[in-house]
Amino acid sequence: MEVRTLQGIGVSAGSAYATAVVVAPPVTAPADEPAPADADAELVRVKAAFEQVAAELDARAARADKTAAQILTATALIARDKGLHKAAGKHLAAGSGPATSVHRAVEEYAAQFEALGDYFAERVTDLRDVGSRTIAAVLGVPAPGVPTLTAPSVVIALDLAPADTAVLDRDLVAGIVTQEGGRNSHTAILAAQMGIPAVVHCADALSIEAGTSVSIDGDSGAVVVNPSAESVAALADRDSKRATLLSATSGPGKTSDGHAVGLLANIGGVDDAVAAGAQDLEGVGLFRTEFVFLSAKTAPTLEEQTDIYTRVFQPFGTDRRIVVRTLDAGADKPLAFADLGAEENPALGRRGLRLSQARPELLETQLKALAAAASATGADVRVMAPMVATVEEAKWFADQVAAAGLPKSGVMIEVPAAALGARHVLAPVDFGSLGTNDLAQYTMAADRMQGALSDLLDPWQPAVLNVIKAACAGAAELGKPIGVCGESGGDPLMALVLTGLGVSSLSMAPSKVPAVRFALSRHSLEACQRLAESAVSAATAAAAREAVLSAADPELQALLT
């Protein structure tokens, strides 16, 4: 048997070895589908097929955890989109068959989503999955997706739609490999939350045949087909040593010489909060409140929001901080009740705080609800705004937070202008938080949802690290704390660099906290500063990571190689 090694992007740590199971491909429309005899009647049937898919997604949402349920519910809304139905009807009237009409309508929408970029581009996989499932319903054939698993398996797919990822059996899915997708895809986010080793953007992944033995390394991104017994044993030995080493550290994050670095969780809802609250971490560094809004047809009321926020805050008691990001929506994350109109470039449009300034009643209600929930629970709540670029915006937001009676305000540093001007932008607020995903996107002029641009969006890009360095310098000049809540905060090596640059807290998927805690405990602050300097001085992303890895503590090297 030929041994082959494929390379992708590791997005969920750990290794796996099992038999490959290949996800059923999308169902496509017949090439020779005849024109409908009665276009109106066929439209009724197509709409019923869309609704069947939506109902199936709702049923899956009812069985999934909170974060997955929110994603599935949002995907069901795509299936119920009247504009999509209308587009299918247009093609039916023009003589296309029902399955072909669904396909053409979906592809029209997909092209629009890809052109809009960011959140919309992220939803193209979801949109096409809805289309494929609807075509299957129209044709009366089985829907695409993960086959029934009877033994531990490595799931191989072009990409995984939320409908598939959200209901994976953690006891039987040993690992995930996708040929497409990026660091911020739904597959990456949900796999990390579920603790399933995963590799995305792995070229030729679909060349792996079902039934083949596969090993994957969710750290390095290596996928080995027909691996040797020795290499499988080496991965298992590394995982065993990792578990032993990581179990030896606990408590607050700190370097070997006692420099404190807060270790916090990224959460998106009540279930996430309950799970994170039970773990050994210091609170929440990013509560993404947009999940409260995105699946709603009307603006959530003060009472509805207060109830949700209260349940999110309760698991953390009164002594662990909760950093809340206010509504991060806008043209790229559309809300039916806050439509500001079409924009040519939504990623650079009225999103985040810019939407809040255009629709201040949304922010006012949200801040009142957060204040009420904080009062009811006694929680240490700190509120920050997304997409802040200027000191005027920071000052406006700080005033709104103070007027609501909340004690601490902050801003997200995800726009290069805010990073370079941090000594001014942070002046009116109490803290800053680096959103490294968007910061990389805007620094490198590369859509962070485009898997093909993953190299540009590598968090080790020296240009991005230098922008972070500038933001940390501005915060230090003011004596203001600055954290990281982007995905790079969960990388043990990158955590050392960020600490060396002056970051005071790191927020990540809770499953990543033990490895970051261990990495910090093996290095002094001075060592972190040296590693940071070597990274920002490197010529390439690969050279930056290699410089840090080669100089890191040997035990950490053993965990990561």
Side-chain angles (χ1 to χ4, degrees):
M1 294 182 293
E2 179 190 6
V3 178
R4 292 188 294 140
T5 300
L6 309 178
Q7 187 61 47
I9 301 172
V11 292
S12 184
S15 66
Y17 169 68
T19 300
V21 170
V22 180
V23 173
V27 179
T28 58
D32 56 352
E33 187 178 31
D38 185 339
D40 290 338
E42 287 299 325
L43 180 57
V44 171
R45 197 161 71 87
V46 164
K47 287 181 178 179
F50 273 118
E51 179 54 35
Q52 176 183 326
V53 171
E56 289 170 352
L57 291 168
D58 285 339
R60 291 189 178 209
R63 302 193 302 270
D65 64 26
K66 185 69 174 181
T67 299
Q70 289 163 336
I71 293 172
L72 289 168
T73 300
T75 306
L77 291 177
I78 294 177
R80 293 190 171 105
D81 187 278
K82 292 181 179 179
L84 188 59
H85 301 172
K86 184 178 180 180
K90 178 188 69 175
H91 289 291
L92 281 166
S96 295
T100 302
S101 295
V102 171
H103 169 72
R104 289 177 174 171
V106 165
E107 287 306 308
E108 286 177 359
Y109 265 53
Q112 295 173 25
F113 280 21
E114 287 171 338
L116 290 171
D118 200 43
Y119 179 78
F120 272 116
E122 180 185 349
R123 303 312 300 275
V124 168
T125 296
D126 311 356
L127 173 62
R128 288 190 170 127
D129 180 60
V130 165
S132 180
R133 291 172 185 275
T134 304
I135 289 171
V138 166
L139 298 176
V141 301
V146 181
T148 301
L149 304 180
T150 58
S153 308
V154 173
V155 174
I156 311 292
L158 178 66
D159 202 352
L160 281 178
D164 292 317
T165 314
V167 293
L168 291 177
D169 186 335
R170 302 183 197 191
D171 294 328
L172 294 178
V173 178
I176 298 170
V177 180
T178 65
Q179 187 163 300
E180 297 183 350
R183 287 183 174 86
N184 303 300
S185 65
H186 281 152
T187 298
I189 294 169
L190 291 173
Q193 287 180 336
M194 293 187 289
I196 299 174
V199 175
V200 301
H201 202 61
C202 179
D204 298 325
L206 291 183
S207 69
I208 301 172
E209 295 182 358
T212 306
S213 295
V214 177
S215 71
I216 75 170
D217 186 342
D219 294 283
S220 70
V223 177
V224 182
V225 181
N226 296 317
S228 66
E230 292 78 12
S231 67
V232 172
L235 280 175
D237 182 59
R238 187 199 68 179
D239 282 358
S240 177
K241 290 179 179 177
R242 175 198 292 265
T244 300
L245 287 173
L246 298 189
S247 65
T249 61
S250 61
K254 58 185 176 182
T255 60
S256 60
D257 54 343
H259 175 73
V261 182
L263 299 181
L264 310 166
N266 291 341
I267 65 172
V270 177
D271 286 356
D272 286 353
V274 171
Q279 297 189 40
D280 182 13
L281 44 77
E282 297 164 67
V284 173
L286 174 62
F287 170 29
R288 301 181 179 95
T289 60
E290 61 268 22
F291 286 118
V292 177
F293 295 82
L294 288 179
S295 60
K297 295 180 180 179
T298 59
T301 65
L302 174 64
E303 293 74 18
E304 289 170 338
Q305 291 188 59
T306 300
D307 174 64
I308 293 171
Y309 301 149
T310 298
R311 288 186 285 137
V312 167
F313 297 166
Q314 284 172 335
F316 300 96
T318 60
D319 58 342
R320 291 193 285 177
R321 79 186 87 167
I322 304 166
V323 180
V324 179
R325 181 175 70 189
T326 56
L327 178 59
D328 186 14
D332 68 324
K333 297 178 185 176
L335 297 174
F337 49 85
D339 184 5
L340 299 181
E343 294 181 334
E344 291 186 8
N345 194 336
L348 303 179
R350 291 180 292 177
R351 54 170 291 202
L353 184 66
R354 300 167 186 178
L355 171 65
S356 295
Q357 290 184 313
R359 293 290 305 275
E361 71 280 4
L362 292 175
L363 179 64
E364 180 181 359
T365 300
Q366 183 173 30
L367 293 177
K368 285 182 178 178
L370 289 168
S375 176
T377 59
D380 177 6
V381 176
R382 311 170 188 192
V383 187
M384 63 182 179
M387 281 296 289
V388 172
T390 68
V391 65
E392 292 91 346
E393 290 173 342
K395 177 66 166 59
W396 182 86
F397 180 73
D399 289 344
Q400 308 309 305
V401 173
L406 288 158
K408 291 187 178 181
S409 62
V411 296
M412 292 282 291
I413 304 291
E414 49 195 341
V415 178
L420 298 175
R423 66 190 182 94
H424 300 300
V425 172
L426 293 177
V429 296
D430 300 293
F431 66 93
S433 184
L434 288 150
T436 54
N437 303 341
D438 266 328
L439 191 60
Q441 170 178 242
Y442 292 125
T443 300
M444 303 303 294
D447 186 342
R448 67 188 182 95
M449 293 306 163
Q450 294 292 328
L453 301 179
S454 292
D455 289 346
L456 287 175
L457 294 165
D458 190 323
W460 289 93
Q461 285 287 354
V464 177
L465 294 177
N466 275 283
V467 172
I468 292 172
K469 179 180 180 179
C472 290
E477 187 175 329
L478 295 173
K480 301 279 177 82
I482 187 168
V484 166
C485 61
E487 292 303 311
S488 62
D491 178 342
L493 279 181
M494 180 60 77
L496 302 176
V497 172
L498 295 171
T499 298
L501 292 176
V503 165
S504 59
S505 65
L506 300 164
S507 190
M508 63 204 78
S511 63
K512 297 183 178 182
V513 168
V516 172
R517 181 188 287 118
F518 174 80
L520 291 170
S521 72
R522 291 299 189 272
H523 299 81
S524 67
L525 177 58
E526 183 181 354
C528 291
Q529 291 168 339
R530 289 197 303 269
L531 294 174
E533 186 55 37
S534 66
V536 299
S537 301
T540 67
R545 187 182 188 278
E546 180 55 34
V548 174
L549 178 61
S550 63
D553 177 81
E555 287 190 309
L556 180 60
Q557 291 179 11
L559 286 182
L560 302 176
T561 56

